[in-house]
Amino acid sequence: MRITKRTFVSALRTATMKTKTVLVAALAAVLALTTVRAADITSAARAIVKEAYIYGFPLVDNYRIQYGYFVDRQNPEFKAPWNQLKNIPRVYTPADTAIQTPNSDTPYSFVGMDLRAEPLVLTVPVIEKERYFSIQLIDAYTFNFDYIGSRTTGNEGGSYLVAGPNWKGETAKGVKKVFRAETEFAFAVYRTQLFKPDDIDNVKKVQAGYKVQPLSEFLGTAAPPAAPVIDFIKPLSPAEEKTSPEFFNILNFVLRFCPTVPSETELMARFARIGVGAGKTMDASKLSPEMKAAVEQGVADAWADFGELEKQFAAGKVTSGDVFGTREYLKNNYLYRMGAAVLGIYGNSKQEAMYPFYAVDEAKQKLNGANRYTVRFAPDKLPPVHAFWSLTMYELPKSLLVANPINRYLLNSPMLPQLKRDADGGLTLLIQNESPGKEKEANWLPAPKGPFVMAMRLYWPKEEAVDGKWTAPPAKKAE
């Protein structure tokens, strides 16, 4: 029987003193239980918000970049419309600001892949054996679902098909291999090795040989019906992604193109409780004060977890090789996936490239251009690679390349003939803000005046790097 306020007051008036005491106690218990339940609901919502934010951050940040690259023609970072190849016949400089910790070793080519109507066929030319290249295939979750390139398919050239989750066709004649994406939109990132500045014309020739076609065009058959036109919503800025509840509506939009995989069915059911899911809406203006606080706290909790992960990175307990890769490799570790997106979205899987990261010096102090540092490789202890290695400088907090008087943003193995060796045959790199002097400038990697980090890259690393037998030497503070 439901007790209303009126019946309760009436009962209170006619009750004996003893009964009144019982009734008041009962009411207090009900109110306490209601308060506890409300607190439980808020606490549960906060936990789900945290989980959904960690899960969703890579999808939302990837959408921000893809929108700038392939949708917003007014964006200075715009590359080309979907399904069209864009070659960048130069390396990245401090003027490039869309991607954190960009690689400046290999001129890029890009294809934003809309796989809804039909697959795409990516054709690569024969490339000289000495020149490393790779095509990294990334889905909307930011998983590296596969590779075309020197390591995986060789430099002999060929055509490769990339299909979305709903394609039911058979391997076409003339296609060497089929790659399947879990999401309807995907991203192909091409890297073509540049040996030295005057090699750029050769890189341009390789890039001119890259070709991207819809499957129907490749086969010379009629095209299927076009996919529905999408009204792409405006993404959030990097700063807004960290605080705005609109983050979850961007996530809901992206999830429309990401069919739920079996391992995430329960996860999506849980997210639905807070209005997160394909096509759902979380209207922040209609949230109760308690729920609004739960959303804010849940997002803050997510960033606190990331902060703990960042400490593990700094301590060497977690490496880039742990956080980039396929869904199977990451075993749905969504915090690792978020960490990868924050620290260097679109990083390679460790079999393709490894990224020893320098955030602190040997004494575990954060790197700062107010100091001078050295990184020394003992004789015969240079990074073990099949392709090449590099060390790149990034200014904090933006994690972008550092402008400097000699326009040098990295040191790499193709520069070895110009670098000066130590007396014992080792190699010492000089990391500092001001020039060490003309006689030592060959080994100088210019640093900003303030805080910075450095990323080492090992392209196509040898087994001793992949299995951890070789480790990068520390940055030592110079006296």
Side-chain angles (χ1 to χ4, degrees):
M1 177 177 120
R2 183 170 173 265
I3 299 176
T4 66
K5 180 179 178 183
R6 180 178 295 175
T7 57
F8 181 84
V9 171
S10 176
L12 199 59
R13 282 175 180 162
T14 59
T16 65
M17 184 58 69
K18 183 176 181 182
T19 306
K20 284 181 180 179
T21 303
V22 172
L23 285 170
V24 170
L27 177 61
V30 169
L31 291 173
L33 182 60
T34 303
T35 304
V36 168
R37 283 177 177 167
D40 286 346
I41 291 169
T42 304
S43 177
R46 175 177 175 174
I48 297 172
V49 167
K50 168 188 164 181
E51 191 177 16
Y53 187 92
I54 289 172
Y55 175 92
F57 182 87
L59 288 77
V60 172
D61 201 47
N62 171 69
Y63 177 73
R64 173 184 66 83
I65 295 168
Q66 304 280 288
Y67 183 92
Y69 277 10
F70 309 117
V71 178
D72 182 7
R73 293 172 183 267
Q74 306 308 311
N75 192 306
E77 296 290 344
F78 182 78
K79 308 302 180 193
W82 296 105
N83 297 342
Q84 292 186 27
L85 177 70
K86 174 65 175 181
N87 292 313
I88 312 293
R90 62 175 181 82
V91 290
Y92 273 40
T93 73
D96 297 287
T97 60
I99 293 182
Q100 306 95 314
T101 57
N103 149 23
S104 192
D105 293 289
T106 58
Y108 282 106
S109 304
F110 300 106
V111 182
M113 298 185 285
D114 178 352
L115 303 171
R116 292 174 300 150
E118 61 177 319
L120 290 183
V121 177
L122 280 53
T123 299
V124 299
V126 176
I127 298 172
E128 66 266 43
K129 188 178 178 182
E130 298 76 24
R131 190 182 303 278
Y132 168 85
F133 88 102
S134 70
I135 305 175
Q136 179 185 3
L137 303 175
I138 310 164
D139 64 23
Y141 296 115
T142 67
F143 290 124
N144 298 330
F145 63 92
D146 222 320
Y147 281 87
I148 301 164
S150 301
R151 177 182 66 89
T152 53
T153 57
N155 283 33
E156 294 77 31
S159 296
Y160 304 90
L161 185 143
V162 182
N166 301 316
W167 184 66
K168 302 292 194 296
E170 298 179 359
T171 304
K173 185 178 180 181
V175 169
K176 282 190 170 184
K177 187 174 179 180
V178 173
F179 300 93
R180 300 298 299 249
E182 289 182 351
T183 56
E184 294 179 339
F185 286 85
F187 189 27
V189 179
Y190 295 58
R191 295 174 175 89
T192 308
Q193 184 180 2
L194 175 73
F195 294 124
K196 51 186 179 178
D198 63 6
D199 180 47
I200 193 65
D201 285 341
N202 295 318
V203 169
K204 290 178 183 177
K205 290 175 185 175
V206 174
Q207 290 180 328
Y210 294 141
K211 185 186 295 184
V212 175
Q213 300 167 285
L215 177 59
S216 57
E217 181 182 312
F218 178 79
L219 295 175
T221 58
V229 174
I230 297 172
D231 182 13
F232 289 97
I233 60 178
K234 185 179 178 181
L236 299 174
S237 69
E240 289 170 334
E241 287 177 356
K242 292 187 175 183
T243 57
S244 173
E246 191 62 24
F247 171 97
F248 295 100
N249 287 323
I250 302 285
L251 176 58
N252 290 343
F253 176 82
V254 175
L255 287 172
R256 289 169 47 189
F257 310 103
C258 305
T260 299
V261 298
S263 67
E264 294 182 348
T265 302
E266 291 183 10
L267 190 73
M268 288 301 152
R270 192 156 63 250
F271 290 172
R273 292 166 59 189
I274 60 165
V276 170
K280 293 184 181 297
T281 301
M282 181 191 285
D283 189 341
S285 67
K286 294 182 179 178
L287 294 177
S288 67
E290 294 80 10
M291 286 301 295
K292 187 174 182 182
V295 170
E296 292 173 353
Q297 291 162 352
V299 171
D301 292 344
W303 282 106
D305 277 18
F306 168 76
E308 291 302 312
L309 177 63
E310 200 170 24
K311 291 177 184 176
Q312 293 183 54
F313 268 107
K317 295 178 181 178
V318 178
T319 70
S320 65
D322 297 319
V323 300
F324 293 109
T326 62
R327 177 186 293 279
E328 293 73 23
Y329 176 72
L330 287 173
K331 297 180 174 62
N332 285 1
N333 186 326
Y334 304 119
L335 182 60
Y336 276 14
R337 190 173 71 183
M338 176 186 175
V342 175
L343 296 174
I345 195 167
Y346 309 141
N348 279 294
S349 305
K350 69 178 180 181
Q351 293 79 8
E352 194 68 39
M354 295 184 68
Y355 305 92
F357 195 71
Y358 290 84
V360 296
D361 62 19
E362 189 177 36
K364 306 303 180 187
Q365 299 300 304
K366 290 184 177 181
L367 301 176
N368 194 294
N371 305 315
R372 295 179 295 116
Y373 304 91
T374 61
V375 173
R376 184 178 188 275
F377 300 98
D380 302 319
K381 289 294 183 180
L382 288 174
V385 290
H386 292 287
F388 69 98
W389 61 265
S390 68
L391 181 66
T392 308
M393 172 68 63
Y394 300 102
E395 187 170 12
L396 291 177
K398 294 183 178 179
S399 290
L400 298 175
L401 297 170
V402 177
N404 61 82
I406 60 173
N407 297 322
R408 179 184 294 164
Y409 316 121
L410 56 85
L411 294 170
N412 63 20
S413 52
M415 297 179 182
L416 282 172
Q418 288 78 49
L419 302 183
K420 293 188 177 181
R421 296 285 188 140
D422 301 335
D424 64 356
L427 177 67
T428 300
L429 307 181
L430 307 175
I431 319 297
Q432 56 192 70
N433 176 246
E434 295 184 353
S435 170
K438 285 292 182 184
E439 70 284 356
K440 296 181 179 180
E441 214 165 75
N443 293 29
W444 176 37
L445 179 57
K449 290 184 177 181
F452 67 88
V453 292
M454 298 184 294
M456 185 175 286
R457 291 176 168 86
L458 281 64
Y459 284 93
W460 193 356
K462 291 183 177 178
E463 196 60 36
E464 55 264 41
V466 175
D467 65 18
K469 291 179 181 175
W470 177 91
T471 56
K476 294 185 178 182
K477 187 177 174 181
E479 296 301 326

